Amino acid sequence: MVQRFSRSLRFRFLAALGGVFLLALISLAALRKWGIFPALHKEERAVVIKELAQIERSLNISQQELLAQARDWAIWDDTYEFIQGNYPGYTDTNFSQQMFEEMRYQLMAFFNAEGDVHFLAGLNPATGQYHTCYTAERECRWMSGLIRTMQSSIKEDPEQGKSRLYAGTTPLMVASNPIVRTDESGPPQGWLFKVRPMDDEWLTIIEDYTGLPTTLAMVEGGINHDTTVTISGNTIQAQRYLTTYPLNEQLALGTQLNRTSYLASLETFRYVLLWTACLMLLVIGLVLLLLERIILKPLRTLTQFTQQPSVDPKGSSNLLGRGDEIGILARAFQQQFMHQQQLNAELIELSTHDSLTGLPNRRLFDQRLREVVDIALNTGQPLSVMMIDIDHFKLFNDHYGHPEGDICLQRVAQTMHDIATAYGFFIARTGGEEFSAMLPATTTIQAMEKSQALSHAIDQLQHPHQMSPVASYVTVSIGISQLDVENDMTPSGLMTAADQALYAAKAAGRHCAKVYTPSLANATISSHSAPS
């Protein structure tokens, strides 16, 4: 009897499950000690180091911003004349306490070609008083230590053009650049230094920008670029030691995170281990009874359903109506199947639309253009296209930065979309600052009217563009061409004609629209081939 029972499938299955259960307990205990806990701790360290790296990137961005400001002033012709003594009104025109407070400058120092002080302006950190001087004496005596450090820096590296962190009770961010003409011709005539304090206000800005608690502290010792992580109770702290000038001190940049999440994960995992063991015992007790009726047979039905979801709707309905795990799996599979179909549709949308502006992209525009050209050639109806280019957009990006450039593109694109919807034509983003529109059943005269409405709507945005020589706000230039039905013009030829018209609009001073004509094409070709 015992031998017969030992040969039964139930006993063998029970024995196998018992062995699996013991092996699982041992594996879970080993995984807990040598796998999960160290991995959670490593992840915790990685998280705090990653957050510290984000703060350091913000510091680097702040340094680059200050360096860019110093360079803008240093390669300005007015500054070049001032350092040579040819612009006596320079200081009255460009310096004020309000400017220093708004730009959060502590000091601006000008040195002549010999490295001597030419002019100083700054806010006394002890009193908050604004002073301008020609030597670091009297009311500007507080600048003397910084001036000596700057002069040492000039002697060490006359080329300058760098951003450094200066040691001090309050660490300082210092950017410097040689003073040259705007075209950067000729030798430097001096140096310009800009100083920004890394004080509590600066820390507040960094914390608001990153959303992370930030600390700064001066420490003694040699150069050490390593990152240290310290755990104290419910807090984990990371610090990175940055080089300062002079090199006898370091700046410790730090942040800290609460370890509540990590400790909760450890506790949760302990409960998971306990409940896993209990559930495995329960499963071993019930699996022999329920294996065939509740598991194997429904699983076979589920397998058929996953292989052919649309076949046997009655069987599918029974599966989806179940309240157990099999029903959950069936419903989850159906949801995943539907989600996959939705993702496929979204993928098609992403492949045909510009992610920044939401407008159709070049791929969809070219596809639609081929279809519309074929229709126009078959029906003889007019077809016009427009190429639109934002005027001097590179100058906009150089002055305001690429994030502001993206905002500008989004506002202009939304305005174009609104006009296109109102006037019934199709518009797409086909390049960086370039847009294209197709206007079925539209002549160039009608297209010109719509282009004027488009240009006027963008003018109404009054989006600032101080660097544009055309206007003080963002404008567009537009080239228009009409399909030559009689000569079977290709989509490529149609867009080439619009591009030539756009070139003519730019040549005419921008902020206007031009219609393609053969004479305009000849003029464009001549202009392209003329010596530069």
Side-chain angles (χ1 to χ4, degrees), residues 262-366:
Y262 169 75
L263 297 175
S265 298
L266 294 182
E267 190 65 25
T268 301
F269 185 71
R270 292 190 182 98
Y271 281 112
V272 169
L273 291 178
L274 177 62
W275 280 104
T276 299
C278 294
L279 288 175
M280 289 180 67
L281 285 174
L282 180 61
V283 169
I284 290 173
L286 298 177
V287 71
L288 292 175
L289 178 64
L290 304 176
L291 182 63
E292 177 61 29
R293 179 184 297 179
I294 301 179
I295 301 298
L296 295 179
K297 184 177 179 180
L299 279 178
R300 286 194 293 269
T301 306
L302 177 62
T303 301
Q304 296 173 355
F305 171 70
T306 58
Q307 292 174 346
Q308 296 177 325
S310 59
V311 178
D312 189 13
K314 181 178 179 181
S316 302
S317 177
N318 291 337
L319 278 173
L320 296 172
R322 292 176 65 99
D324 56 11
E325 288 79 359
I326 301 298
I328 294 174
L329 284 173
R331 289 190 292 273
F333 173 80
Q334 186 185 51
Q335 292 174 358
Q336 186 66 25
F337 182 74
M338 295 174 63
H339 182 60
Q340 184 65 39
Q341 291 180 317
Q342 180 183 355
L343 288 177
N344 290 338
E346 292 177 356
L347 181 60
I348 294 174
E349 175 75 11
L350 289 173
S351 67
T352 56
H353 285 72
D354 175 50
S355 59
L356 176 64
T357 64
L359 291 180
N361 60 15
R362 178 179 288 278
R363 177 181 179 184
L364 182 57
F365 181 84
D366 291 343

Side-chain angles (χ1 to χ4, degrees), residues 126-375:
T127 64
Q129 301 245 332
Y130 173 71
H131 302 291
T132 60
C133 309
Y134 292 92
T135 60
E137 299 176 351
R138 298 180 181 177
E139 65 269 16
C140 292
R141 184 177 298 276
W142 61 272
M143 306 178 187
S144 58
L146 274 174
I147 298 304
R148 288 192 296 270
T149 304
M150 292 174 182
Q151 289 173 327
S152 298
S153 174
I154 293 173
K155 291 179 181 179
E156 291 175 7
D157 183 8
E159 294 298 325
Q160 291 296 313
K162 62 174 69 70
S163 179
R164 285 176 165 175
L165 303 178
Y166 277 25
T169 305
T170 298
L172 301 174
M173 188 182 302
V174 181
S176 59
N177 203 82
I179 298 174
V180 294
R181 292 189 177 93
T182 301
D183 60 7
E184 300 190 44
S185 63
Q189 295 300 310
W191 292 268
L192 168 62
F193 284 74
K194 287 194 175 188
V195 180
R196 179 173 289 163
M198 300 168 70
D199 52 12
D200 292 341
E201 181 182 358
W202 183 84
L203 282 176
T204 300
I205 293 173
I206 293 296
E207 290 179 347
D208 290 343
Y209 181 76
T210 61
L212 300 169
T214 306
T215 60
L216 276 178
M218 297 305 304
V219 295
E220 296 181 356
I223 299 175
N224 178 14
H225 294 284
D226 292 337
T227 300
T228 61
V229 178
T230 305
I231 297 176
S232 176
N234 291 338
T235 302
I236 181 169
Q237 182 176 15
Q239 283 189 321
R240 182 164 176 79
Y241 300 96
L242 307 176
T243 302
T244 62
Y245 184 84
L247 301 179
N248 56 349
E249 290 185 280
Q250 296 179 87
L251 179 61
L253 179 67
T255 188
Q256 64 181 24
L257 296 177
N258 195 300
R259 302 183 68 226
T260 304
S261 175
Y262 169 75
L263 297 175
S265 298
L266 294 182
E267 190 65 25
T268 301
F269 185 71
R270 292 190 182 98
Y271 281 112
V272 169
L273 291 178
L274 177 62
W275 280 104
T276 299
C278 294
L279 288 175
M280 289 180 67
L281 285 174
L282 180 61
V283 169
I284 290 173
L286 298 177
V287 71
L288 292 175
L289 178 64
L290 304 176
L291 182 63
E292 177 61 29
R293 179 184 297 179
I294 301 179
I295 301 298
L296 295 179
K297 184 177 179 180
L299 279 178
R300 286 194 293 269
T301 306
L302 177 62
T303 301
Q304 296 173 355
F305 171 70
T306 58
Q307 292 174 346
Q308 296 177 325
S310 59
V311 178
D312 189 13
K314 181 178 179 181
S316 302
S317 177
N318 291 337
L319 278 173
L320 296 172
R322 292 176 65 99
D324 56 11
E325 288 79 359
I326 301 298
I328 294 174
L329 284 173
R331 289 190 292 273
F333 173 80
Q334 186 185 51
Q335 292 174 358
Q336 186 66 25
F337 182 74
M338 295 174 63
H339 182 60
Q340 184 65 39
Q341 291 180 317
Q342 180 183 355
L343 288 177
N344 290 338
E346 292 177 356
L347 181 60
I348 294 174
E349 175 75 11
L350 289 173
S351 67
T352 56
H353 285 72
D354 175 50
S355 59
L356 176 64
T357 64
L359 291 180
N361 60 15
R362 178 179 288 278
R363 177 181 179 184
L364 182 57
F365 181 84
D366 291 343
Q367 177 184 336
R368 293 277 182 90
L369 182 61
R370 287 192 295 269
E371 297 170 357
V372 173
V373 167
D374 289 341
I375 294 173

Side-chain angles (χ1 to χ4, degrees), residues 390-391 396 408 412 458-459 462-465 471-476:
I390 299 177
D391 295 328
F396 185 98
C408 175
V412 170
I458 294 172
D459 290 348
Q462 293 289 304
H463 196 95
H465 189 353
S472 60
Y473 49 85
V474 171
T475 60
V476 296

